[in-house]
C-alpha cells in the first residue's frame, strides 16, 4: 500500500495503478504471478517479443516525465488494503488528504471473534465448528434425542410392577365384615404376567360370600397367566415399546439431516459475506483511483493541459463510485449480520464479523468427473433420508405384526396357588388346606375387523414408503449429477472470468498509453477502467458460485459439519494456481 500511494504522489497516471490493483486481485485468488497484464510484443507497450514479468512492470510504472520508477512486483500490492471511507462526496482538498492517509473504514456493526482477537481472519471451518457447537437450531435438533429417550422410557413403564391395595368394610348392618387386601402384578416382556398378594377377611359374612372369609392370619396367593396364542410373540405393551425404540432410532438421522441443512446455509452465508467483501474492496480501489486521478487532473487544469469540463466529468465519476461504495458497504454489513446467525460464541451470542476479518477466496480445484458414479452410490448410502425410510419401514412392520396378532384368538393359561394362615375361621377347617387352581381363558372376535384394518393400513404405509424411497434415491442421484454439472460449470466460469479480467486490465493499460500519446480521451480511459472493474466483480460472482456449489456438494454427499470443517482448511495449505485458459 505504501508503494501504491508513493506512485500516485509522484504523478503516475491512475489507470496504470488500477492495473496493479486488479493484477493483485487475480493473485489473491490463485492466478499465477507470471501471467502478463500486457501481451508480449504489443507495439503500444513493448517492442520486445519476449517480455519477462519484471519487464512488464516497468512501462506500467513509467512516470509522465518519461522516467522509469523501480518498484516491487505487482503481486505485493493487495486489493484488500485499498479500503476507503464512505462519507459521501468530498472536496478536492479532502480527497487529497484522504488519498494520503487512506485510513480503513470500520463497519458500523462489528464484534470480536469467539475467544480470539478481531484481527484474526475468519475461515469456513470456524463458522462450521461454531454452528455445530452453539447454533440454537442445532441445539434444538439435538434435543430430539433425549425427547425420544423419554418416550422410550415411558413405553417401558407398561412393564412396571403394579402394587394394588384395597380396604372394604361394612361395620353396620346384620352382616358386619372387614376385608383388606394388597398385592402386585408384574407384566412379563415375553407376554403374560405374574401376580401375588395377601388378604384377610374377618366378621360375619353372608353365606353366599363365604370365600371372602380367611383364617385368622389371612391368606397368601401367587400365580401366573401366560398367553398361548394371541399376545404370545407381540402384544400392545411390546408393540408400543418397539415403536418408541424405532422413534429413538429415527432421532439420529433426523438430527443429521437438519445439521447438513444448517451447515449448507451457514456455508452459503459465509461465502456470500466473502464475496460482498471482495466487491467492496474492488469498489474501494476504484474510488481511490478516481480520486487520485481527479487530483492529477486538477493540477493539469491549472497548468492548462486539460479543459475544465474534463475535471467535472471526473467529479461525476467520483460521486458515482462513492454512491456505489456506500451500497457495497451496506451489502457487506448485511451479509455479516446474516453470517452472525451461524457464527457465535460458545454461549450462543451472535458475532458480527468486521471487514478486517475478511479472508480471500481460496483457489478453486477442478472436479474429478470420474468419481461421479462412486459419489452417487456414496450419497445414497450416506444420506440420512434413506436411513429414515428404513427405520420407518421397520416401525410400520410392528403395526402390521400387531394387526396380525389381533386376528388370532385369545387363549390364556392361568395357574395360581393360595394358602390360609393362622387359626381356622370355622370348625370345618375348609380354608386350611393348600389350594391350587388352573384354568384356560378363551375369546375371539368373530369379524376380526380390528386386525384386518391394522394390516390394511400397514400395507398401504409400507407401499408408500417403498415408493418414496425409490423417488428419494432417484432424487439423490439427480442431485449429485446436478451438483457435478454446477461445479464443472462454475470452475470453467472462474477461468473465463479471470481471463476476462486479464484482458480488461490489459485494454485499460492500452487506453492509458493511447491517452498519453494524445490518441484517446478521459472518457475512453474511464470506460475501459469500468470494464476492468466489472470483470473483477464478475470474477467475484464466479468464485461465489463455485464455493456455494461446493457447499451444496457437501450437503448432497451428507458430509457432516465436523468433517467439512476438517476439509475446509483452505488458508493453511498452499494451493497451486489455477491454469489460465490458452
Amino acid at each position: 500500500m505504501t508503494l501504491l500511494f508513493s506512485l500516485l504522489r509522484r504523478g503516475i497516471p491512475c489507470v496504470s495503478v488500477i492495473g496493479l490493483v486488479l493484477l493483485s486481485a487475480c493473485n489473491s485468488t490463485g492466478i499465477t504471478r507470471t501471467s502478463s497484464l500486457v501481451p508480449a510484443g504489443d507495439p503500444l507497450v513493448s517492442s520486445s517479443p519476449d517480455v519477462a514479468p519484471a519487464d512488464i512492470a516497468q512501462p506500467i510504472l513509467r512516470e509522465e516525465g518519461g522516467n522509469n520508477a523501480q518498484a516491487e512486483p505487482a503481486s505485493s500490492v493487495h486489493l484488500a488494503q485499498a479500503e476507503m471511507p464512505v462519507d459521501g462526496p468530498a472536496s478536492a482538498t479532502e480527497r487529497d488528504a484522504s488519498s494520503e492517509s487512506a485510513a480503513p473504514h470500520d463497519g458500523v456493526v462489528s464484534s470480536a471473534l469467539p475467544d480470539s482477537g478481531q484481527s484474526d481472519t475468519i475461515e469456513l471451518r470456524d463458522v462450521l465448528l461454531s454452528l455445530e457447537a452453539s447454533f440454537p437450531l442445532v441445539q434444538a435438533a439435538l434435543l430430539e434425542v433425549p425427547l425420544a429417550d423419554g418416550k422410550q422410557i415411558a413405553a417401558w413403564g407398561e412393564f412396571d410392577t403394579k402394587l394394588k391395595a384395597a380396604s372394604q368394610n361394612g361395620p353396620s348392618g346384620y352382616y358386619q365384615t372387614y376385608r383388606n387386601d394388597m398385592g402386585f402384578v408384574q407384566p412379563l416382556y415375553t407376554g403374560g404376567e405374574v401376580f401375588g398378594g395377601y388378604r384377610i377377611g374377618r366378621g360375619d359374612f353372608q353365606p353366599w360370600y363365604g370365600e371372602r372369609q380367611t383364617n385368622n392370619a389371612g391368606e397368601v396367593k401367587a400365580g401366573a397367566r401366560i398367553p398361548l396364542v394371541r399376545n404370545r410373540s407381540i402384544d400392545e405393551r411390546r408393540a408400543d415399546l418397539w415403536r418408541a425404540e424405532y422413534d429413538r432410532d429415527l432421532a439420529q438421522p433426523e438430527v443429521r439431516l437438519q445439521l447438513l441443512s444448517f451447515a449448507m446455509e451457514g456455508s452459503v452465508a459465509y461465502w456470500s459475506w466473502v464475496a460482498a467483501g471482495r466487491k467492496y474492496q474492488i469498489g474501494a480501489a476504484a474510488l481511490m483511483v478516481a480520486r487520485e486521478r481527479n487530483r492529477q487532473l486538477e493540477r493539469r487544469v491549472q497548468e492548462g493541459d486539460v479543459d475544465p469540463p474534463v475535471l467535472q466529468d471526473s467529479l461525476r465519476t467520483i460521486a458515482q463510485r462513492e454512491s456505489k461504495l456506500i451500497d457495497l458497504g451496506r451489502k457487506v454489513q448485511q451479509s455479516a449480520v446474516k453470517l452472525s446467525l451461524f457464527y457465535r460464541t460458545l454461549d450462543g451470542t451472535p458475532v458480527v464479523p468486521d471487514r478486517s476479518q475478511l479472508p480471500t477466496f481460496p483457489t478453486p480445484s477442478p472436479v474429478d468427473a470420474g468419481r461421479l458414479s462412486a459419489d452417487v452410490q456414496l450419497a445414497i448410502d450416506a444420506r440420512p433420508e434413506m436411513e429414515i425410510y428404513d427405520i420407518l419401514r421397520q416401525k410400520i412392520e410392528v403395526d402390521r405384526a400387531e394387526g396380525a396378532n389381533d386376528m388370532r384368538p385369545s387363549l390364556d393359561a392361568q395357574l395360581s396357588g393360595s394358602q390360609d394362615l393362622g387359626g381356622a375361621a370355622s370348625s370345618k377347617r375348609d380354608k386350611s388346606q393348600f389350594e391350587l387352581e388352573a384354568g384356560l381363558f378363551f375369546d375371539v372376535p368373530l369379524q376380526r375387523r380390528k386386525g384386518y384394518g391394522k394390516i390394511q393400513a400397514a400395507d398401504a404405509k409400507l407401499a408408500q414408503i417403498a415408493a418414496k424411497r425409490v423417488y428419494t434415491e432417484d432424487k439423490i442421484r439427480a442431485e449429485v449429477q446436478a451438483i457435478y454439472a454446477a461445479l464443472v460449470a462454475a470452475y470453467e466460469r472462474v477461468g473465463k472470468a479471470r481471463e476476462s479480467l486479464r484482458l480488461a486490465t490489459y485494454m485499460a493499460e492500452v487506453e492509458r498509453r493511447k491517452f498519453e500519446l494524445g490518441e484517446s480521451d478521459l472518457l475512453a480511459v474511464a470506460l475501459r477502467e469500468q470494464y476492468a472493474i466489472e470483470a473483477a466483480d464478475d470474477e467475484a460472482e464466479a468464485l461465489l458460485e463455485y464455493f456455494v456449489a461446493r457447499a451444496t456438494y457437501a450437503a448432497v454427499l451428507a458430509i457432516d459439519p465436523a468433517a467439512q470443517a476438517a476439509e475446509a482448511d483452505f488458508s493453511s495449505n498452499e494451493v497451486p494456481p489455477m491454469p489460465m485458459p490458452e
Side-chain angles (χ1 to χ4, degrees):
M1 180 58 70
T2 303
L3 170 64
L4 186 58
F5 291 127
S6 65
L7 296 174
L8 292 173
R9 284 196 297 270
R10 293 185 182 184
I12 297 175
C14 302
V15 76
S16 303
V17 180
I18 196 172
L20 291 175
V21 172
L22 293 177
L23 176 60
S24 68
C26 298
N27 289 334
S28 64
T29 56
I31 291 182
T32 176
R33 295 180 179 180
T34 60
S35 60
S36 303
L37 279 174
V38 183
D42 192 291
L44 291 174
V45 179
S46 174
S47 60
S48 174
D50 299 319
V51 183
D55 299 327
I56 294 174
Q58 296 303 322
I60 294 177
L61 297 176
R62 193 179 66 243
E63 301 185 76
E64 291 182 344
N67 296 326
N68 292 334
Q70 299 295 327
E72 299 174 13
S75 57
S76 65
V77 183
H78 296 284
L79 182 62
Q81 298 173 332
E83 296 190 10
M84 293 297 295
V86 189
D87 300 322
S91 65
T93 304
E94 292 172 339
R95 287 191 291 271
D96 291 341
S98 64
S99 65
E100 294 291 335
S101 60
H105 173 64
D106 293 331
V108 175
V109 182
S110 62
S111 181
L113 277 169
D115 303 323
S116 64
Q118 268 191 333
S119 59
D120 293 339
T121 299
I122 298 177
E123 303 294 341
L124 177 61
R125 64 177 179 276
D126 301 327
V127 176
L128 294 175
L129 293 175
S130 171
L131 182 147
E132 194 170 22
S134 56
F135 187 51
L137 294 184
V138 170
Q139 304 304 313
L142 292 175
L143 290 175
E144 291 292 334
V145 175
L147 187 151
D149 287 340
K151 292 182 178 180
Q152 183 185 19
I153 293 173
W156 272 109
E158 292 296 322
F159 294 91
D160 289 348
T161 303
K162 298 173 179 62
L163 183 64
K164 300 180 178 180
S167 178
Q168 304 176 50
N169 302 301
S172 62
Y174 185 79
Y175 295 101
Q176 297 180 1
T177 61
Y178 304 89
R179 291 184 296 141
N180 299 283
D181 62 83
M182 63 179 299
F184 72 93
V185 177
Q186 175 61 63
L188 301 177
Y189 183 80
T190 55
E193 59 188 22
V194 295
F195 54 88
Y198 169 83
R199 71 185 183 92
I200 184 169
R202 293 181 178 180
D204 298 325
F205 290 89
Q206 300 91 330
W208 53 88
Y209 283 145
E211 73 278 1
R212 294 180 176 179
Q213 188 176 20
T214 66
N215 283 350
N216 294 336
E219 176 195 81
V220 293
K221 184 177 183 178
R225 182 165 180 157
I226 305 299
L228 302 179
V229 183
R230 187 197 300 172
N231 297 336
R232 183 173 180 83
S233 59
I234 184 174
D235 55 20
E236 184 177 357
R237 286 190 292 252
R238 281 176 284 177
D240 290 340
L241 175 61
W242 294 340
R243 280 190 287 263
E245 289 176 346
Y246 285 128
D247 285 338
R248 185 185 183 281
D249 294 340
L250 275 174
Q252 296 290 347
E254 287 176 348
V255 168
R256 283 191 60 229
L257 186 62
Q258 294 185 63
L259 281 174
L260 292 172
S261 176
F262 298 148
M264 186 180 71
E265 293 178 16
S267 298
V268 171
Y270 173 80
W271 292 120
S272 298
W273 172 64
V274 174
R278 177 89 173 158
K279 292 181 178 180
Y280 179 87
Q281 293 163 353
I282 294 169
L287 176 59
M288 181 189 68
V289 170
R291 285 177 172 175
E292 185 59 29
R293 178 172 57 235
N294 187 79
R295 185 183 67 82
Q296 296 172 4
L297 286 173
E298 285 179 341
R299 186 177 68 249
R300 295 182 65 179
V301 167
Q302 292 174 1
E303 295 172 354
D305 293 341
V306 177
D307 294 334
V310 177
L311 183 60
Q312 298 302 313
D313 189 55
S314 177
L315 292 173
R316 178 200 58 79
T317 301
I318 291 175
Q320 182 184 41
R321 293 185 182 180
E322 286 175 337
S323 173
K324 180 65 175 177
L325 190 61
I326 291 172
D327 185 58
L328 292 173
R330 171 188 62 83
K331 291 179 180 179
V332 173
Q333 292 177 9
Q334 287 179 338
S335 60
V337 170
K338 185 175 181 180
L339 178 60
S340 70
L341 294 176
F342 304 94
Y343 185 58
R344 297 168 178 262
T345 59
L346 290 178
D347 62 359
T349 303
V351 176
V352 181
D354 188 80
R355 281 203 302 270
S356 63
Q357 299 170 295
L358 277 165
T360 57
F361 274 113
T363 299
S365 56
V367 181
D368 183 6
R371 286 192 50 84
L372 177 57
S373 299
D375 281 350
V376 167
Q377 190 58 46
L378 177 64
I380 292 174
D381 294 339
R383 286 283 283 271
E385 296 98 313
M386 309 305 292
E387 185 178 356
I388 288 173
Y389 284 132
D390 290 340
I391 297 174
L392 284 175
R393 177 182 53 80
Q394 297 175 27
K395 180 181 177 182
I396 294 173
E397 285 176 350
V398 173
D399 296 340
R400 195 184 191 287
E402 189 178 21
N405 179 68
D406 291 337
M407 297 278 292
R408 301 187 181 99
S410 174
L411 180 62
D412 295 349
Q414 180 171 310
L415 182 66
S416 62
S418 61
Q419 175 67 61
D420 280 56
L421 306 174
S426 64
S427 58
K428 295 186 297 181
R429 302 180 64 85
D430 57 344
K431 297 184 178 297
S432 298
Q433 300 297 318
F434 174 77
E435 296 181 0
L436 181 65
E437 181 179 352
L440 291 174
F441 301 87
F442 176 83
D443 73 77
V444 60
L446 297 180
Q447 289 82 9
R448 297 185 291 180
R449 287 176 291 192
K450 183 178 181 181
Y452 278 126
K454 285 185 177 181
I455 291 175
Q456 181 178 345
D459 287 341
K461 289 181 179 178
L462 288 172
Q464 282 183 331
I465 289 177
K468 290 180 179 179
R469 196 181 193 282
V470 170
Y471 171 74
T472 302
E473 184 172 333
D474 293 340
K475 181 182 177 183
I476 292 173
R477 183 177 291 105
E479 287 177 350
V480 175
Q481 293 170 346
I483 196 58
Y484 258 75
L487 279 170
V488 171
Y491 180 78
E492 292 177 353
R493 183 188 172 192
V494 170
K496 296 300 181 182
R498 288 174 168 176
E499 177 68 1
S500 174
L501 175 59
R502 187 183 69 84
L503 293 174
T505 306
Y506 160 70
M507 290 304 299
E509 175 65 17
V510 169
E511 202 65 45
R512 193 272 306 172
R513 300 290 295 181
K514 292 172 65 177
F515 180 73
E516 289 181 353
L517 298 174
E519 298 176 3
S520 182
D521 54 22
L522 184 62
L523 179 61
V525 173
L527 186 62
R528 293 297 185 185
E529 184 178 298
Q530 183 62 31
Y531 289 161
I533 295 170
E534 291 174 358
D537 285 341
D538 186 62
E539 185 206 27
E541 284 291 339
L543 288 166
L544 173 62
E545 178 182 333
Y546 174 83
F547 286 104
V548 167
R550 278 195 57 157
T552 308
Y553 170 84
V556 168
L557 264 64
I559 302 175
D560 290 332
Q564 292 184 42
E567 295 176 359
D569 191 2
F570 297 115
S571 62
S572 61
N573 296 323
E574 289 294 332
V575 183
M578 186 179 108
M580 296 295 295
E582 294 296 335

Coordinates of all heavy atoms in Angstrom, one line a residue, residues 5-39:
F5 N 0.6 4.4 -2.8 CA 0.5 5.8 -2.6 C 1.7 6.6 -3.1 O 1.6 7.8 -3.6 CB 0.2 6.1 -1.1 CG -1.2 5.6 -0.7 CD1 -1.3 4.8 0.4 CD2 -2.3 6.0 -1.4 CE1 -2.6 4.3 0.7 CE2 -3.6 5.6 -1.0 CZ -3.7 4.7 0.0
S6 N 2.9 6.1 -2.9 CA 4.1 6.8 -3.4 C 4.1 6.9 -4.9 O 4.5 8.0 -5.4 CB 5.3 6.0 -2.9 OG 5.4 4.8 -3.6
L7 N 3.6 5.9 -5.6 CA 3.5 6.0 -7.0 C 2.5 7.1 -7.4 O 2.7 7.9 -8.4 CB 3.1 4.7 -7.6 CG 4.0 3.5 -7.5 CD1 3.4 2.2 -8.0 CD2 5.4 3.8 -8.2
L8 N 1.4 7.1 -6.7 CA 0.3 8.1 -7.0 C 0.8 9.6 -6.8 O 0.5 10.5 -7.5 CB -0.9 7.8 -6.3 CG -1.7 6.5 -6.7 CD1 -2.8 6.3 -5.7 CD2 -2.2 6.6 -8.1
R9 N 1.5 9.7 -5.7 CA 2.0 11.1 -5.3 C 3.1 11.6 -6.3 O 3.3 12.8 -6.5 CB 2.6 11.1 -3.9 CG 1.6 11.1 -2.8 CD 2.2 11.4 -1.5 NE 3.2 10.5 -1.1 CZ 2.9 9.4 -0.3 NH1 1.7 9.2 0.1 NH2 3.9 8.6 0.1
R10 N 3.8 10.6 -7.0 CA 4.7 11.0 -8.0 C 4.1 11.5 -9.3 O 4.8 11.9 -10.2 CB 5.7 9.9 -8.3 CG 6.6 9.5 -7.1 CD 7.6 8.4 -7.5 NE 8.4 8.0 -6.4 CZ 9.4 7.2 -6.5 NH1 9.7 6.6 -7.7 NH2 10.1 6.8 -5.4
G11 N 2.8 11.3 -9.4 CA 2.1 11.8 -10.6 C 1.9 10.8 -11.6 O 1.6 11.1 -12.8
I12 N 2.1 9.5 -11.3 CA 2.0 8.4 -12.3 C 0.5 8.3 -12.6 O -0.4 8.4 -11.7 CB 2.5 7.1 -11.7 CG1 4.0 7.2 -11.5 CG2 2.2 6.0 -12.7 CD1 4.5 6.0 -10.8
P13 N 0.1 8.2 -13.9 CA -1.3 8.1 -14.3 C -2.0 7.0 -13.5 O -1.5 5.9 -13.3 CB -1.3 7.8 -15.8 CG 0.1 8.3 -16.2 CD 1.0 8.1 -15.1
C14 N -3.3 7.4 -13.1 CA -4.0 6.5 -12.2 C -4.4 5.2 -12.8 O -4.5 4.1 -12.2 CB -5.3 7.2 -11.7 SG -4.9 8.7 -10.8
V15 N -4.7 5.2 -14.1 CA -5.1 4.0 -14.8 C -4.0 2.9 -14.8 O -4.2 1.7 -14.8 CB -5.6 4.2 -16.2 CG1 -4.5 4.5 -17.1 CG2 -6.5 3.1 -16.7
S16 N -2.7 3.4 -14.7 CA -1.6 2.5 -14.5 C -1.7 1.7 -13.2 O -1.4 0.6 -13.1 CB -0.3 3.2 -14.6 OG -0.2 3.9 -15.8
V17 N -2.1 2.5 -12.2 CA -2.1 1.9 -10.8 C -3.2 0.9 -10.8 O -3.1 -0.2 -10.1 CB -2.4 3.0 -9.8 CG1 -2.4 2.4 -8.4 CG2 -1.2 4.0 -9.9
I18 N -4.4 1.1 -11.4 CA -5.5 0.2 -11.3 C -5.1 -1.2 -11.9 O -5.6 -2.2 -11.5 CB -6.8 0.7 -12.0 CG1 -8.0 -0.1 -11.5 CG2 -6.7 0.7 -13.5 CD1 -9.3 0.4 -12.0
G19 N -4.2 -1.1 -12.9 CA -3.7 -2.4 -13.5 C -3.0 -3.2 -12.4 O -3.2 -4.4 -12.3
L20 N -2.2 -2.5 -11.6 CA -1.5 -3.2 -10.5 C -2.5 -3.8 -9.5 O -2.4 -4.9 -9.0 CB -0.5 -2.3 -9.8 CG 0.7 -1.9 -10.6 CD1 1.5 -0.8 -9.8 CD2 1.5 -3.1 -10.9
V21 N -3.5 -2.9 -9.2 CA -4.5 -3.3 -8.2 C -5.3 -4.6 -8.6 O -5.5 -5.5 -7.9 CB -5.5 -2.2 -7.9 CG1 -6.7 -2.6 -7.1 CG2 -4.8 -1.0 -7.3
L22 N -5.8 -4.5 -9.9 CA -6.5 -5.7 -10.4 C -5.7 -6.9 -10.6 O -6.1 -8.0 -10.4 CB -7.2 -5.3 -11.7 CG -8.3 -4.2 -11.6 CD1 -8.9 -3.9 -12.9 CD2 -9.4 -4.7 -10.6
L23 N -4.4 -6.7 -10.9 CA -3.5 -7.9 -11.0 C -3.3 -8.5 -9.6 O -3.3 -9.7 -9.5 CB -2.1 -7.4 -11.6 CG -1.1 -8.5 -11.6 CD1 -1.5 -9.7 -12.5 CD2 0.3 -8.0 -12.1
S24 N -3.2 -7.7 -8.6 CA -3.0 -8.3 -7.3 C -4.3 -9.0 -6.9 O -4.3 -10.0 -6.1 CB -2.7 -7.2 -6.3 OG -3.8 -6.3 -6.1
A25 N -5.5 -8.5 -7.3 CA -6.7 -9.2 -7.1 C -6.7 -10.6 -7.7 O -7.2 -11.6 -7.1 CB -7.9 -8.4 -7.6
C26 N -6.2 -10.7 -8.9 CA -6.0 -12.0 -9.5 C -5.2 -12.9 -8.7 O -5.4 -14.1 -8.4 CB -5.5 -11.9 -10.9 SG -6.6 -11.0 -12.1
N27 N -4.0 -12.4 -8.2 CA -3.0 -13.2 -7.5 C -3.6 -13.7 -6.2 O -3.3 -14.7 -5.7 CB -1.8 -12.4 -7.2 CG -1.0 -12.2 -8.5 OD1 -1.0 -13.0 -9.4 ND2 -0.2 -11.1 -8.6
S28 N -4.5 -12.8 -5.6 CA -5.0 -13.2 -4.3 C -6.0 -14.4 -4.4 O -6.3 -15.0 -3.4 CB -5.7 -12.0 -3.6 OG -6.8 -11.6 -4.4
T29 N -6.5 -14.7 -5.6 CA -7.4 -15.8 -5.8 C -6.7 -16.9 -6.5 O -7.4 -17.8 -7.0 CB -8.7 -15.4 -6.5 OG1 -8.3 -14.7 -7.7 CG2 -9.5 -14.4 -5.7
G30 N -5.4 -16.9 -6.7 CA -4.7 -18.0 -7.2 C -4.2 -17.9 -8.6 O -3.6 -18.8 -9.2
I31 N -4.4 -16.8 -9.3 CA -3.8 -16.6 -10.7 C -2.3 -16.5 -10.5 O -1.8 -15.8 -9.7 CB -4.4 -15.4 -11.4 CG1 -5.9 -15.6 -11.7 CG2 -3.6 -15.0 -12.6 CD1 -6.5 -14.5 -12.4
T32 N -1.6 -17.2 -11.4 CA -0.1 -17.2 -11.3 C 0.4 -15.8 -11.6 O -0.1 -15.1 -12.4 CB 0.4 -18.2 -12.4 OG1 1.8 -18.1 -12.4 CG2 -0.1 -17.8 -13.8
R33 N 1.4 -15.5 -10.8 CA 2.0 -14.2 -10.9 C 2.8 -13.9 -12.2 O 3.1 -12.8 -12.5 CB 3.0 -14.0 -9.7 CG 2.3 -14.0 -8.4 CD 3.3 -13.8 -7.3 NE 2.6 -13.8 -6.0 CZ 3.2 -13.6 -4.8 NH1 4.5 -13.5 -4.8 NH2 2.6 -13.7 -3.7
T34 N 3.0 -15.0 -12.9 CA 3.8 -14.8 -14.2 C 2.9 -14.5 -15.3 O 3.3 -14.3 -16.4 CB 4.6 -16.0 -14.5 OG1 3.7 -17.2 -14.6 CG2 5.6 -16.3 -13.4
S35 N 1.5 -14.5 -15.1 CA 0.6 -14.2 -16.3 C 0.7 -12.7 -16.5 O 0.6 -11.9 -15.6 CB -0.8 -14.6 -15.9 OG -1.2 -13.9 -14.8
S36 N 0.9 -12.3 -17.8 CA 1.1 -10.9 -18.1 C -0.1 -10.2 -18.2 O -1.2 -10.6 -18.7 CB 1.8 -10.9 -19.5 OG 3.0 -11.6 -19.5
L37 N -0.1 -8.9 -17.7 CA -1.2 -8.0 -18.0 C -1.2 -7.5 -19.4 O -2.2 -7.2 -20.0 CB -1.0 -6.8 -17.1 CG -1.4 -6.9 -15.6 CD1 -1.0 -5.6 -14.9 CD2 -2.9 -7.1 -15.5
V38 N 0.0 -7.5 -20.0 CA 0.1 -7.0 -21.4 C 0.7 -8.0 -22.3 O 1.8 -8.6 -21.9 CB 1.0 -5.7 -21.5 CG1 1.0 -5.1 -22.9 CG2 0.4 -4.7 -20.5
P39 N 0.0 -8.4 -23.4 CA 0.6 -9.5 -24.2 C 2.0 -9.0 -24.7 O 2.2 -7.9 -25.1 CB -0.4 -9.6 -25.4 CG -1.7 -9.1 -24.8 CD -1.3 -8.0 -23.8

